[in-house]
Amino acid sequence: MSEGGLEPGGAGNPEARRKYTALAVTAIAVLAAVVRLVWPQIELDAVTVTLLVIAVVPWLGEIFDSITLPGGAGVQFRQLTVRVAEAEAAAARLERAVEATADTSQVALTVAQTRTSGEPGADPEESVGRLAADYLHLRQSLPAGQERTHLMQQVFGELIQETARMPDPPLTSWLESENGGLRLAAYTRLFLNPDPRYLDALLDAVLKDDFAFNVSRGIRALENVIDLIGPEQIRVGPVHRLRTYFGELPEGNRKKHLRRLLDRFPGLT
């Protein structure tokens, strides 16, 4: 079953709707002709005919591009439908762009408010290891909720600071790690310093990650890496994997972030 609960070939499909509408209009026209032949004494006045036309017109947009009425007046169905759809899509993209800016601002604020994780001059890789352990401890010791999310945001802010101090972090190892804290460190680094070489490994890690907090940050990292490469340069395969994953996600932040990412591929989503 496709997203939204409709089968691909069902009534939610535009081609199916046009087919059913055409059949319905044809059946009504044939019925009217039969009634006229069986009861020729029935006469329809102009008001009745006008009301019948008004009742049918909204459905004709599924069949005709336009209809010209007597006197030259016309109705452009599909052009109007397309323009409304385009306007709605543009509004949705603008809303998600505003959300992205707000997310980035929140990250910057989190970094500004976080404490330094280690002593000045401490080995940043050791600091990352400690932060990864802190992150896992928070997940295990606190129930899901605002308090835990706030504390994990602080860890995320500190990871931004510490990974920025590492000239060549072991990103492949982190992305493939069973340690969710180290995967978060990799997402953090690639969010801060997107590197096209890690696109496939990053995508694999995000799609396999079972930590919702991680996935949201991983998607943000994917956004920055894909923007650096250029969406038009991305192969169909990765986009298809993201689209499939999108259909599996429940509503929430992960789906919201992924929808914003998929906006970059309007022809493939």
Side-chain angles (χ1 to χ4, degrees):
M1 183 172 288
S2 63
E3 186 180 350
L6 293 174
E7 295 292 342
N13 184 285
E15 291 299 325
R17 289 202 307 270
R18 280 192 284 274
K19 176 182 176 182
Y20 297 146
T21 301
L23 289 173
V25 172
T26 299
I28 292 171
V30 170
L31 179 61
V34 170
V35 169
R36 181 64 175 168
L37 289 173
V38 175
W39 294 287
Q41 69 275 17
I42 296 178
E43 294 185 1
L44 298 178
D45 58 23
V47 173
T48 304
V49 172
T50 300
L51 292 174
L52 289 173
V53 170
I54 291 173
V56 173
V57 161
W59 300 96
L60 297 182
E62 298 288 351
I63 306 172
F64 304 109
D65 286 327
S66 63
I67 291 179
T68 301
L69 302 175
V75 181
Q76 297 289 332
F77 291 108
R78 294 196 183 159
Q79 287 185 14
L80 178 60
T81 301
V82 169
R83 288 176 182 173
V84 169
E86 289 175 347
E88 289 176 345
R93 287 194 296 271
L94 177 59
E95 179 181 355
R96 290 194 279 274
V98 171
E99 289 174 353
T101 302
D103 286 347
T104 301
S105 299
Q106 181 60 46
V107 168
L109 180 61
T110 299
V111 172
Q113 292 176 338
T114 53
R115 68 185 188 282
T116 303
S117 60
E119 296 297 326
D123 181 2
E125 190 164 358
E126 291 182 2
S127 295
V128 168
R130 285 196 299 272
L131 288 167
D134 289 347
Y135 174 70
L136 294 179
H137 177 71
L138 287 172
R139 293 190 59 87
Q140 294 167 358
S141 61
L142 293 177
Q146 291 186 348
E147 180 186 4
R148 190 177 81 170
T149 299
H150 175 70
L151 292 173
M152 290 193 300
Q153 284 278 21
Q154 289 186 336
V155 172
F156 177 64
E158 292 185 60
L159 281 171
I160 288 179
Q161 294 177 327
E162 294 304 314
T163 59
R165 296 172 56 208
M166 301 177 67
D168 188 23
L171 290 178
T172 299
S173 174
W174 288 354
L175 288 169
E176 296 175 353
S177 176
E178 294 295 321
N179 185 322
L182 292 179
R183 293 195 303 273
L184 179 62
Y187 303 152
T188 302
R189 173 64 180 224
L190 289 170
F191 170 78
L192 189 67
N193 296 103
D195 189 331
R197 294 175 299 171
Y198 294 98
L199 174 62
D200 290 336
L202 175 59
L203 177 60
D204 288 341
V206 170
L207 297 187
K208 294 175 184 176
D209 209 314
D210 54 0
F211 291 173
F213 187 90
N214 278 19
V215 171
S216 291
R217 275 69 197 167
I219 291 172
R220 293 301 315 278
L222 278 169
E223 286 186 276
N224 289 354
V225 171
I226 287 172
D227 284 344
L228 182 63
I229 297 171
E232 69 283 355
Q233 301 298 322
I234 304 300
R235 303 184 308 277
V236 173
V239 180
H240 177 70
R241 293 178 67 192
L242 287 168
R243 183 60 179 167
T244 300
Y245 183 58
F246 178 84
E248 298 169 353
L249 286 175
E251 290 298 330
N253 284 333
R254 289 175 294 171
K255 194 158 193 169
K256 178 184 71 175
H257 294 152
L258 186 51
R259 183 181 290 113
R260 190 170 64 210
L261 172 58
L262 289 170
D263 277 345
R264 292 160 170 80
F265 310 99
L268 298 173
T269 59

